[in-house]
Amino acid sequence: MELFHKIREELLEMSSDAVRQRSQHYFKDEILIVGVKAPAVNALAKKYRKEIRQLSKSEFFALCELFWQSGSVEESQLVSFWLLDACKQLNADDIAVLKHWIENYVDNWASCDSLCPKTIGYLLEKYPPLIEEMKRWAKHSNSWLRRAAAVSFIYPAKHGLYLNDIFQIAEIMMLSSEDLVQKGYGWMLKVASQSFPEEVYTFLMLHKAVMPRTAFRYALEKYPPAQRKEAMLK
């Protein structure tokens, strides 16, 4: 696809070894990084927004697939920008395409978190039956789908929605040994605590004995210092 090569060439021209090396420090594992700062990537996405909007859905998904296959963090950021821009044109059935991309191409928290909270979060608010799909993701063997299941509730949680489902997602992943999954559902609970402080605190105290400390600390972050201290000591 000509548009893919045009955008990718422009992205590569902006790359910097210094930016690439600094960016790698944010990830425990070695991942593919072009070396372009996030504001510049967003500016590139905006530059081609008009052309992207003119594509049919099948053409748009095919373009996104090419960028996912290329595999860099910056290219996943481009895709996530355009997907968010196209949210109102997505429907519930498109969750299968998003799942395919997460399961097959996502290999780092940045790519997961640029795609899921806003775009899938929007779909969860628009199509509540998709919540059951998130619960299936929470049990999946793929750790990025499990993290996605949690962080996709960030924006619904921010809007005061789906508290019982959020608790169910957290319970499904409660005993995960994976750091990024723990941080994912801890983040989800932290955001939910801003709308439901008493309910989330009660949930945390109920599960404190088994919840990994990483998730527990993340979930407590928005509570007053004295309450956090008390919770850690109980």
Side-chain angles (χ1 to χ4, degrees):
M1 184 181 289
E2 183 179 347
L3 184 58
F4 165 72
H5 294 293
K6 181 180 177 181
I7 298 171
R8 191 163 197 269
E9 182 176 339
E10 193 165 338
L11 178 69
L12 293 174
E13 287 174 352
M14 295 189 291
S15 67
S16 158
D17 286 338
V19 172
R20 185 183 302 111
Q21 291 170 11
R22 284 198 300 272
S23 299
Q24 185 61 59
H25 292 158
Y26 293 100
F27 303 92
K28 290 183 177 180
D29 300 318
E30 192 78 20
I31 63 169
L32 182 57
I33 300 173
V34 173
V36 182
K37 292 182 178 179
V41 177
N42 287 337
L44 182 62
K46 289 177 183 177
K47 177 180 177 179
Y48 286 95
R49 176 189 276 162
K50 184 176 180 180
E51 291 181 60
I52 297 297
R53 286 176 172 175
Q54 292 172 346
L55 299 174
S56 68
K57 182 185 282 190
S58 61
E59 291 171 332
F60 173 55
F61 281 171
L63 178 66
C64 292
E65 179 81 16
L66 288 173
F67 277 110
W68 279 116
Q69 289 174 355
S70 291
S72 73
V73 172
E74 291 89 346
E75 286 165 303
S76 71
Q77 186 181 340
L78 287 172
V79 170
S80 295
F81 182 98
W82 295 324
L83 280 167
L84 183 60
D85 192 51
C87 265
K88 292 182 180 179
Q89 281 70 55
L90 300 180
N91 57 48
D93 291 340
D94 293 326
I95 198 69
V97 178
L98 302 181
K99 179 185 178 183
H100 163 73
W101 289 334
I102 297 168
E103 189 173 5
N104 290 280
Y105 302 125
V106 168
D107 64 357
N108 64 85
W109 62 263
S111 295
C112 184
D113 296 358
S114 64
L115 171 63
C116 297
K118 293 182 179 179
T119 297
I120 299 182
Y122 172 86
L123 290 176
L124 290 179
E125 292 189 16
K126 189 175 181 181
Y127 304 106
L130 288 178
I131 292 171
E132 295 307 312
E133 177 70 3
M134 295 301 104
K135 292 174 185 177
R136 288 189 286 272
W137 289 14
K139 301 173 184 177
H140 202 279
S141 60
N142 183 292
S143 60
W144 296 112
L145 277 174
R146 292 200 298 279
R147 180 177 173 93
V151 301
S152 293
F153 279 90
I154 297 299
Y155 277 78
K158 190 172 287 187
H159 299 151
L161 299 173
Y162 307 147
L163 181 62
N164 289 334
D165 298 297
I166 286 169
F167 286 160
Q168 288 179 38
I169 292 285
E171 287 174 340
I172 291 170
M173 293 188 286
M174 184 72 66
L175 301 181
S176 173
S177 61
E178 294 160 300
D179 180 70
L180 287 172
V181 174
Q182 294 174 16
K183 290 177 179 177
Y185 81 78
W187 180 18
M188 173 185 68
L189 291 169
K190 174 175 67 176
V191 176
S193 75
Q194 295 177 266
S195 295
F196 304 99
E198 293 183 8
E199 292 89 341
V200 173
Y201 190 79
T202 298
F203 178 87
L204 293 174
M205 293 301 99
L206 180 64
H207 294 89
K208 179 182 176 180
V210 296
M211 185 180 291
R213 278 293 173 263
T214 295
F216 192 71
R217 290 192 183 97
Y218 259 64
L220 282 171
E221 281 183 2
K222 291 299 181 179
Y223 288 95
Q227 191 173 7
R228 293 202 307 271
K229 183 177 181 180
E230 179 186 15
M232 294 301 296
L233 291 174
K234 280 185 176 179

